[in-house]
Amino acid sequence: MTVSPGALFGLPPEDRTSSPYTGYTRAHWEAAADGMLAAAWKWATPGGARLDLPGPPSHSGVRSDGLEGYARTFLAAGFRVAGAGGKDPNGLLERYADGLDAGTRTPGLDDAESWPLILDHDVQGQPMVESASVALGLRLTRPWLWDRLTPDVRDRAEHWLRGALRHVPAGNNWYLFPYTVAGFLESVGRGDAETARARERALELLEHWYRGDGWYADGDGRAFDHYNGWALHLYPLLDAHLSDDARESARHGARLREHLESFSLMFGGDGAPLHFGRSLTYRFAASAGVGLGAVTGHTPLAPGASRRVVSGSLRYFLERGAAGGSGLLSLGWHGPHTATLQTYSGPASPYWASKAFVSLLAPAEHPLWSSPEEAAPSEGPDRVLSVPAAGFLVQSTRADGVVRLHNHGSDHVRPDEGESAADEDPHYARLAYSTVTGPTSAANIADNHLSVTVGGARSARRRIHPLGSGHGEGWGWAASWHLPVFAAGPSTVPGLRVESVIVARGSHELRVHRVLGAPDGARAELTGWATDPGGTVRSRLRGLHGWEGPENVRAPQGTAYAPWVTVPRLAADVSGTVVLAALASLTAEPGATPEADPEAADVVDRVAVAGDTVEVRWAEDGARTRITFGGAAVTVDHGPPGTAAQGLSSTTARQAAV
């Protein structure tokens, strides 16, 4: 049973004067934090060292999951109490102090309270993740918790935390966990060469992973996702902020500011973040970077726009049942949703959402809370924005508040990892993601995918190789290529390659693909957005060149947004080198009907193809877009009305549309 968030957490009445978009104020954030913590603490062990929340365990086991419950809720409590200047009306810190005492008495023992030891990431790594939340919670609440502990408890806590400094993290954002632990130990006068090296190593790697445009790769590969905001930017800038280190704040803050130039556009008009990447069950933690930018002043957004984004995200999930009827955050997206999860997801994993409460570090008189709410970036004029460092193209439309992310650069494949089709991840492999749709499950047809079928086996997209991106006034493009890999039969076909280009204007997407080296008998398939056919979100996919008639394919396992969806699909026989063009759209304009959607010829009135060059003319204003494939590059030109290049053979969109 889903209960309204107001009743579930005792939220105050909406304030539509100061918060005309969401109705949420700082008091709503405090009430939400208090309600979530009260619900979670019902499942605490007698000594308070573990919060053993109900649900299936992660692959780390129930003891680690119980520590996770303590650590991640402690982070929310830390932001809540620190933001209130130490006021703790619910006695939270006394509980966490007792839990720290009980958990560190005999770490490693298999009893009801003892915390597991922190070991290497491939042995027993999850406690290292949680050590950062414990350390940050202690740092945030130092005057009211740490400074009042007995020397014995402090020593035991330090000994347990130092396990994070002495063991090997996973090769990604995990290096920021010992960094955070070391920062806390140094802040309480317990720093040494070991803490200094942990911090130096993390910053060295952070520099290596920085790709530009405010974006970090999460490790040595090309994984760009929400970990940028809730980890890679959060830990170093928050550390500098708490240390009052002006030099480090300026350095990390400048990168966060640049990151938010693009990332702040990735929240829909309804407050939803993009359903893209891993650990999506952390939900409104996606807004942590926006909140931190407002708290530290390192943001391109006005305070009212920042509050619109963070409060919109919190409200979005609370109103859609993320906390069910018990107040516990479930494993999923809106509500429970297994396909959203990873094997490391346990009952307490969703409480990394606590990072969103970093916004509470801004006191009540801070402009984040005192300024009136303003429109979010996605609620302004239609925008198309390229992010070359990540290979992204972001497309937002004001009429429906929908944001789409065209992914031509993020694949979550390690540099040393092979491209096995069996490891295809729906949260990275798709061509596009949005704030109103989710990827279909691995067991159903893949949405937003160009596949090649050879010998009855359909290809997967794994490692993504960017070919460029850019944008102009009202339009933008991105391109990439991938090696089709197969789960059945030979894993690859010699010479087979797929190049993909997206050109976005308004709510429309021109999707052009070049298939090279296709063997005789191969068949290409292109799918569009996965939507509920009876819902308000509408998906269309129409062929412009080379494709046969369309069909809608069922995906009975649904998505995080709908329990049952259909996916539009185009198909074509291919051999050798073939260029294919289609027009896709995703819309959710209130009150609109499928009958009101424009036909292909009303959007693109001319398509011309000659060899490896595609030129289209847009019906609305006669603008011309030319796409030229060649070698290891793609060139996209877009300009005012003009004639097709000499030698191009052409067809009209009306004739080719299906």
Side-chain angles (χ1 to χ4, degrees):
M1 179 181 67
T2 300
V3 181
S4 72
L8 191 61
F9 297 131
L11 301 183
E14 293 183 359
D15 183 347
R16 291 288 174 174
T17 300
S18 67
S19 303
Y21 292 89
T22 69
Y24 275 27
T25 64
R26 195 176 190 280
H28 289 80
W29 279 79
E30 290 180 327
D34 291 344
M36 290 179 192
L37 290 168
W41 266 92
K42 293 178 181 178
W43 301 93
T45 53
R50 288 164 33 191
L51 273 62
D52 294 322
L53 305 184
S58 72
H59 67 193
S60 297
V62 294
R63 291 179 61 243
S64 178
D65 292 345
L67 166 63
E68 189 170 76
Y70 173 96
R72 298 189 178 197
T73 59
F74 186 22
L75 190 54
F79 288 132
R80 170 70 172 95
V81 174
K87 295 178 182 177
D88 185 13
N90 299 312
L92 294 169
L93 298 192
E94 183 177 355
R95 301 184 206 176
Y96 285 102
D98 290 344
L100 183 71
D101 181 7
T104 58
R105 285 177 193 167
T106 54
L109 292 188
D110 187 12
D111 58 32
E113 304 289 349
S114 296
W115 288 351
L117 296 171
I118 302 171
L119 302 177
D120 293 347
H121 75 95
D122 58 343
V123 177
Q124 185 172 281
Q126 193 61 35
M128 185 182 293
V129 181
E130 309 319 320
S131 70
S133 292
V134 173
L136 194 48
L138 290 171
R139 188 171 184 179
L140 289 163
T141 62
R142 176 183 175 179
W144 315 288
L145 198 165
W146 177 263
D147 288 350
R148 299 180 182 181
L149 295 174
T150 65
D152 176 59
V153 176
R154 292 184 200 171
D155 290 344
R156 285 193 274 112
E158 178 187 356
H159 181 74
W160 182 81
L161 286 168
R162 279 189 180 270
L165 312 182
R166 296 166 180 169
H167 290 89
V168 180
N172 53 18
N173 69 89
W174 277 45
Y175 274 85
L176 291 170
F177 305 145
Y179 174 89
T180 301
V181 168
F184 162 67
L185 292 175
E186 292 181 354
S187 74
V188 294
R190 296 182 177 231
D192 55 19
E194 190 173 53
T195 61
R197 182 53 188 151
R199 291 170 64 77
E200 290 169 1
R201 179 59 175 153
L203 293 178
E204 289 169 357
L205 288 171
L206 207 59
E207 287 303 303
H208 177 63
W209 295 333
Y210 186 66
R211 300 291 193 264
D213 300 327
W215 285 83
Y216 293 97
D218 188 14
D220 285 348
R222 293 193 57 85
F224 303 97
D225 51 30
H226 289 294
Y227 275 85
N228 264 264
W230 64 43
L232 295 159
H233 283 288
L234 181 87
Y235 289 114
L237 181 54
L238 184 56
D239 173 86
H241 178 70
L242 295 175
S243 301
D244 198 23
D245 186 329
R247 184 176 67 86
E248 287 298 294
S249 289
R251 184 165 72 96
H252 297 301
R255 289 184 178 176
L256 177 61
R257 178 185 293 272
E258 189 172 10
H259 176 69
L260 294 177
E261 290 280 3
S262 57
F263 183 71
S264 63
L265 184 60
M266 299 181 189
F267 291 80
D270 57 3
L274 284 163
H275 192 90
F276 167 68
R278 66 189 179 95
S279 301
L280 291 171
T281 194
Y282 302 163
R283 296 183 172 99
F284 46 87
S287 72
V290 179
L292 180 63
V295 167
T296 62
H298 296 292
T299 178
L301 301 178
S306 292
R307 184 159 97 252
R308 167 69 180 103
V309 172
V310 298
S311 290
S313 181
L314 177 64
R315 179 166 186 155
Y316 174 85
F317 286 108
L318 295 187
E319 288 191 330
R320 286 162 178 79
S326 66
L328 291 176
L329 294 175
S330 61
L331 283 162
W333 185 244
H334 294 159
H337 187 248
T338 302
T340 291
L341 309 178
Q342 285 74 40
T343 60
Y344 56 75
S345 301
S349 292
Y351 285 85
W352 244 35
S354 297
K355 293 184 174 187
F357 292 102
V358 68
S359 293
L360 287 177
L361 292 183
E365 64 274 12
H366 191 281
L368 177 64
W369 305 113
S370 62
S371 299
E373 274 186 348
E374 300 179 27
S378 64
E379 293 174 300
D382 292 0
R383 289 187 65 187
V384 182
L385 177 69
S386 63
V387 187
F392 290 159
L393 187 70
V394 188
Q395 177 189 13
S396 70
T397 43
R398 182 176 187 174
D400 52 15
V402 174
V403 179
R404 310 148 191 84
L405 175 70
H406 301 282
N407 177 31
H408 290 266
S410 180
D411 56 26
H412 202 246
V413 181
R414 297 190 309 271
D416 63 335
E417 184 180 353
E419 298 187 53
S420 170
D423 296 327
E424 183 182 29
D425 189 339
H427 295 99
Y428 293 92
R430 307 295 198 248
L431 290 162
Y433 299 85
S434 85
T435 55
V436 294
T437 65
T440 53
S441 75
N444 288 173
I445 182 174
D447 62 295
N448 288 316
H449 180 50
L450 188 290
S451 64
V452 182
T453 299
V454 178
R458 184 176 285 113
S459 71
R461 184 188 191 217
R462 293 282 282 129
R463 196 181 304 277
I464 301 171
H465 304 266
L467 289 172
S469 65
H471 64 268
E473 185 65 32
W475 77 284
W477 70 279
S480 63
W481 72 270
H482 74 273
L483 174 71
V485 291
F486 301 85
S491 58
T492 61
V493 174
L496 181 61
R497 164 180 168 137
V498 170
E499 297 171 343
S500 304
V501 182
I502 173 69
V503 177
R505 292 189 85 203
S507 63
H508 305 295
E509 310 158 25
L510 174 65
R511 298 186 180 187
V512 179
H513 301 271
R514 185 170 72 155
V515 180
L516 299 94
D520 291 343
R523 192 164 174 82
E525 293 180 354
L526 175 67
T527 54
W529 300 94
T531 59
D532 176 355
T536 58
V537 180
R538 303 184 307 284
S539 166
R540 297 199 67 177
L541 181 65
R542 292 157 294 185
L544 296 178
H545 177 82
W547 293 109
E548 301 170 3
E551 60 179 338
N552 283 321
V553 184
R554 299 181 175 198
Q557 199 169 344
T559 69
Y561 294 79
W564 191 94
V565 298
T566 60
V567 180
R569 180 171 68 182
L570 299 170
D573 293 329
V574 292
S575 180
T577 297
V578 178
V579 175
L580 304 162
L583 187 69
S585 65
L586 176 71
T587 55
E589 191 170 350
T593 62
E595 292 74 24
D597 290 339
E599 294 300 321
D602 298 324
V603 180
V604 174
D605 66 10
R606 188 174 185 279
V607 181
V609 178
D612 295 328
T613 298
V614 178
E615 185 176 283
V616 303
R617 186 173 63 200
W618 299 88
E620 180 181 17
D621 57 4
R624 173 189 55 80
T625 298
R626 182 195 294 262
I627 300 168
T628 303
F629 296 93
V634 169
T635 302
V636 178
D637 297 314
H638 182 84
T643 59
Q646 185 176 2
L648 288 178
S649 60
S650 64
T651 58
T652 67
R654 189 174 304 280
Q655 291 171 334
V658 289

